């Protein structure tokens, strides 16, 4: 892979007019304005990061998380781009490419979670499990739906993933001017495709990072081929995707610990104990996280801060983020050749001093937050909401646009679905056989569901069940 092609600014619909002399923005800066002006981006303010429907104004939402990922991505892009230039790693790499990389990563950070359903990653699990339970039982005109759908069509639903939905949303569902959605650049679209494989080629237990999840739906395969054909990646991961993933991992693992501290799931002294054990296991690390934490606590005492523990944790998080940025930069540049060849199979923290700290942060969140009774209770409630909505939506979309008369309630449920999504369905359904249209109608259901915010999903569930 080579940068000139990887940074393709081609769009599915190319502009027919010449660039205005007064518009000094690059194509990637134009992408940024398209994203932040979209309703889909605004909805992230009411989608959960860890704590659904939380009333605190401190706890992160998908919007604030995405802004943090965008910031980290841009910083990493600047660091890595400068390293490639100063180290003469690539003769074809230019200063303008460094700037383009930073803009692309900033935009990718804003987009990376835009396809997620309500209630975070648990929402994805709930959707997958609903299809695994119900696809074998569903019938269309007396014929089992499972017989009508190809293996890949079925796998698309049983392995449903927000990453694939993000690509679908920005290229097909954001229907403003025409069927090309936001009509973003190929370089940006390729960067948000974390897993360049279809649902039938997932290997969750394997060592290959890019096969852990699906990257696109069968319905969007043509888009995937167009994008990767323009950038020259094919079925390999775009190099910038490794940087985006590092920015995401860095943002959520540090933020989850900070949010958990604020919510009382992790105490200052529990964090101390965990870091002490980490330092004992890895005494050779140049970054001493426990020493950092203790110094910030002592500074808080000296400054007579009323809550020195909170002062220490929040400043410690910032210090950790700076260290991890340097680790991810080293991870990319030290594996530059294999990343550019498309053979690198790990994240950017692998083999760096930051790897063990990242593992600990993720493990702490799993043990102390995601496995807590409070989160389990929320997830049981969320499951009830999503399962009920999917039951009603599935019945409504099954015979939509088939000529079969629907009952009164199903017609009303269909009327709730955005015209943008229905327009996208009609365009993709043209020329399809009955099986293909059925598959697209089931996608119409998940399109609508993923477009919901947490509050909207809860409110719609209450309204549809007469809960006043």
């Amino acid at each position: 892979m080579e940068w000139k092609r990887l940074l393709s600014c081609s769009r599915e619909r190319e502009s027919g007019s010449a660039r205005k002399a007064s518009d000094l923005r690059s194509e990637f800066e134009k992408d940024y304005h398209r994203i932040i002006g979209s309703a889909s981006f605004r909805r992230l303010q009411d989608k959960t990061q860890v704590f659904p429907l939380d009333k605190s104004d401190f706890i992160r939402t998908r919007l604030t998380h995405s802004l943090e990922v965008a910031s980290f991505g841009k910083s990493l892009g600047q660091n890595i781009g400068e390293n490639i230039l100063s180290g003469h790693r690539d003769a074809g790499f230019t200063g303008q490419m460094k700037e383009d990389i930073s803009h692309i990563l900033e935009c990718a950070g804003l987009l990376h979670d835009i396809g997620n359903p309500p209630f975070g990653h648990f929402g994805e699990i709930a959707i997958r499990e609903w299809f695994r339970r119900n696809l074998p039982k569903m019938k269309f005109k007396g014929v089992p739906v499972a017989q009508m759908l190809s293996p890949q069509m079925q796998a698309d639903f049983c392995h449903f993933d927000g990453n694939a939905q993000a690509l679908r949303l920005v290229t097909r569902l954001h229907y403003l001017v025409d069927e090309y959605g936001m009509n973003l650049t190929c370089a940006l679209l390729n960067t948000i495709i974390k897993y360049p494989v279809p649902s039938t080629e997932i290997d969750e237990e394997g060592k290959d990072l890019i096969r852990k999840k699906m990257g696109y739906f069968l319905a969007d395969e043509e888009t995937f081929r167009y994008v990767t054909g323009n950038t020259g990646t094919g079925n390999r991961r775009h190099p910038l995707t490794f940087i985006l993933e590092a920015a995401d991992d860095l943002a959520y693992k540090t933020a989850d610990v900070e949010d958990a501290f604020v919510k009382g799931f992790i105490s200052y002294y529990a964090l101390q104990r965990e870091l002490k054990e980490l330092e004992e296991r890895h005494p050779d690390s140049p970054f001493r996280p426990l020493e950092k934490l203790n110094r910030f606590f002592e500074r808080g005492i000296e400054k007579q801060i009323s809550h020195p523990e909170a002062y220490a944790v929040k400043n410690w998080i910032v210090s950790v983020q700076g260290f991890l940025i340097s680790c991810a930069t080293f991870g990319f540049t030290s594996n530059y050749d294999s990343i550019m060849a498309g053979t690198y199979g790990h994240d950017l923290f692998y083999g760096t001093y930051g790897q063990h700290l990242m593992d600990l942060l993720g493990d702490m969140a799993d043990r102390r937050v995601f496995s807590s009774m409070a989160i389990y209770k929320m997830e049981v409630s969320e499951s009830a909401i999503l399962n009920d909505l999917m039951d009603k939506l599935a019945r409504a979309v099954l015979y939509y646009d088939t000529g079969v008369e629907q009952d009164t309630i199903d017609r009303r449920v269909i009327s709730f679905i955005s015209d943008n999504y229905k327009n996208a369905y009609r365009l993709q359904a043209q020329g399809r056989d009955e099986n293909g249209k059925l598959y697209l109608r089931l996608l119409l259901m998940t399109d609508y569901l993923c477009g919901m915010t947490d509050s909207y999903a809860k409110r719609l569930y209450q309204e549809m069940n007469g809960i006043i």
Side-chain angles (χ1 to χ4, degrees):
M1 294 181 281
E2 53 94 22
W3 285 111
K4 186 174 182 180
R5 194 168 174 191
L6 287 168
L7 303 181
S8 168
C9 57
S10 296
R11 306 177 189 273
E12 282 196 272
R13 172 178 39 78
E14 297 292 354
S15 174
S17 57
R19 178 173 173 172
K20 295 180 181 178
S22 60
D23 190 349
L24 302 180
R25 297 174 299 167
S26 72
E27 292 302 314
F28 307 119
E29 289 173 301
K30 291 176 184 177
D31 282 345
Y32 179 88
H33 292 284
R34 294 180 189 209
I35 295 163
I36 63 170
S38 70
S40 302
F41 180 68
R42 290 195 296 276
R43 289 191 188 102
L44 293 174
Q45 68 187 308
D46 189 18
K47 288 196 174 189
T48 187
Q49 179 62 18
V50 178
F51 302 97
L53 305 171
D54 194 89
K55 293 180 174 62
S56 168
D57 60 2
F58 174 86
I59 301 303
R60 289 167 171 85
T61 65
R62 285 285 170 191
L63 179 62
T64 53
H65 167 68
S66 296
L67 291 170
E68 289 175 342
V69 175
S71 177
F72 288 135
K74 185 175 184 179
S75 295
L76 281 167
Q78 290 169 334
N79 286 3
I80 291 168
E82 183 58 34
N83 190 288
I84 296 170
L85 279 173
S86 61
H88 306 289
R89 300 301 304 270
D90 193 319
F93 194 82
T94 66
Q96 182 59 53
M97 288 177 176
K98 171 190 166 183
E99 294 301 314
D100 289 343
I101 282 174
S102 297
H103 289 306
I104 292 167
L105 287 165
E106 184 176 26
C107 291
L110 299 179
L111 287 178
H112 81 285
D113 273 347
I114 205 164
N116 279 26
F119 312 125
H121 291 301
F122 182 78
E124 293 174 292
I125 294 170
I127 291 172
R128 291 176 204 139
E129 292 183 348
W130 187 92
F131 278 112
R132 289 169 188 171
R133 286 194 311 271
N134 289 281
L135 270 183
K137 298 184 291 186
M138 293 173 67
K139 290 189 175 181
F140 176 76
K141 297 181 180 179
V143 179
V145 166
Q147 289 183 17
M148 299 179 66
L149 301 182
S150 70
Q152 186 173 350
M153 290 174 178
Q154 294 182 55
D156 280 358
F157 297 115
C158 295
H159 294 283
F160 181 88
D161 191 79
N163 291 292
Q165 186 66 25
L167 177 67
R168 179 168 175 77
L169 173 64
V170 299
T171 59
R172 291 289 169 263
L173 305 182
H174 210 272
Y175 196 101
L176 292 176
V177 178
D178 53 28
E179 67 271 26
Y180 298 119
M182 292 187 189
N183 197 36
L184 302 171
T185 58
C186 286
L188 173 55
L189 293 174
N190 206 166
T191 299
I192 67 170
I193 301 173
K194 290 179 68 175
Y195 309 98
V197 294
S199 57
T200 48
E201 295 182 18
I202 295 171
D203 184 7
E204 294 176 352
E205 305 302 321
K207 294 182 179 180
D208 192 348
L209 185 70
I210 70 169
R211 296 186 180 276
K212 296 292 184 183
K213 298 179 181 180
M214 62 182 284
Y216 57 92
F217 295 104
L218 176 61
D220 306 314
E221 183 174 7
E222 186 177 335
T223 298
F224 172 80
R225 299 295 174 204
Y226 175 81
V227 169
T228 57
N230 269 277
T231 59
T233 57
N235 291 319
R236 298 167 295 182
R237 181 181 264 197
H238 194 291
L240 296 188
T241 308
F242 288 98
I243 306 175
L244 172 64
E245 184 176 55
D248 184 22
D249 290 348
L250 192 166
Y252 84 76
K253 287 190 177 183
T254 55
D256 285 356
V257 170
E258 185 179 11
D259 286 356
F261 171 79
V262 171
K263 296 289 289 184
F265 287 89
I266 297 174
S267 71
Y268 172 80
Y269 301 101
L271 179 59
Q272 264 191 328
R273 289 193 298 272
E274 299 266 7
L275 295 178
K276 184 175 186 295
E277 292 174 7
L278 178 68
E279 287 195 359
E280 289 172 350
R281 290 195 302 272
H282 304 285
D284 59 328
S285 174
F287 184 77
R288 313 299 291 172
L290 177 59
E291 290 179 17
K292 287 276 187 184
L293 182 67
N294 288 339
R295 281 204 297 271
F296 284 124
F297 180 79
E298 290 165 4
R299 186 187 299 173
I301 296 291
E302 291 170 4
K303 290 178 174 289
Q304 299 183 326
I305 303 293
S306 57
H307 298 288
E309 294 89 353
Y311 174 87
V313 170
K314 291 173 184 178
N315 280 280
W316 179 82
I317 290 290
V318 175
S319 176
V320 165
Q321 289 169 344
F323 167 67
L324 292 173
I325 285 174
S326 67
C327 290
T329 301
F330 176 79
F332 189 94
T333 53
S334 62
N335 294 287
Y336 184 79
D337 292 339
S338 58
I339 288 172
M340 295 300 289
T343 58
Y344 187 67
H346 305 285
D347 63 53
L348 296 187
F349 297 103
Y350 180 80
T352 72
Y353 285 117
Q355 179 182 355
H356 302 298
L357 180 56
M358 287 288 284
D359 289 344
L360 174 65
L361 295 175
D363 183 58
M364 284 180 65
D366 285 340
R367 287 186 284 109
R368 296 177 178 271
V369 182
F370 299 115
S371 299
S372 68
M373 188 67 68
I375 294 295
Y376 282 169
K377 285 181 178 178
M378 283 192 286
E379 289 176 345
V380 169
S381 298
E382 293 157 11
S383 177
I385 292 170
L386 291 174
N387 284 327
D388 185 79
L389 290 176
M390 291 187 74
D391 287 343
K392 291 180 169 64
L393 286 167
R395 199 182 81 170
V397 302
L398 199 60
Y399 290 100
Y400 168 66
D401 191 42
T402 62
V404 176
E405 187 174 357
Q406 295 179 287
D407 67 25
T408 304
I409 296 301
D410 288 346
R411 289 199 303 273
R412 280 156 176 71
V413 171
I414 286 292
S415 74
F416 299 159
I417 299 176
S418 164
D419 286 341
N420 281 354
Y421 300 153
K422 286 187 277 197
N423 286 337
Y425 159 76
R426 293 189 194 100
L427 283 167
Q428 287 199 305
Q430 291 175 5
R432 301 286 188 112
D433 61 16
E434 194 164 52
N435 297 0
K437 289 180 179 179
L438 174 59
Y439 163 71
L440 291 174
R441 289 198 299 278
L442 293 175
L443 273 181
L444 176 61
M445 173 175 74
T446 53
D447 289 342
Y448 177 45
L449 194 66
C450 288
M452 297 181 187
T453 64
D454 294 2
S455 297
Y456 180 84
K458 179 182 178 182
R459 185 170 66 251
L460 183 62
Y461 164 78
Q462 292 172 329
E463 291 170 347
M464 291 174 81
N465 287 281
I467 302 171
I468 307 300

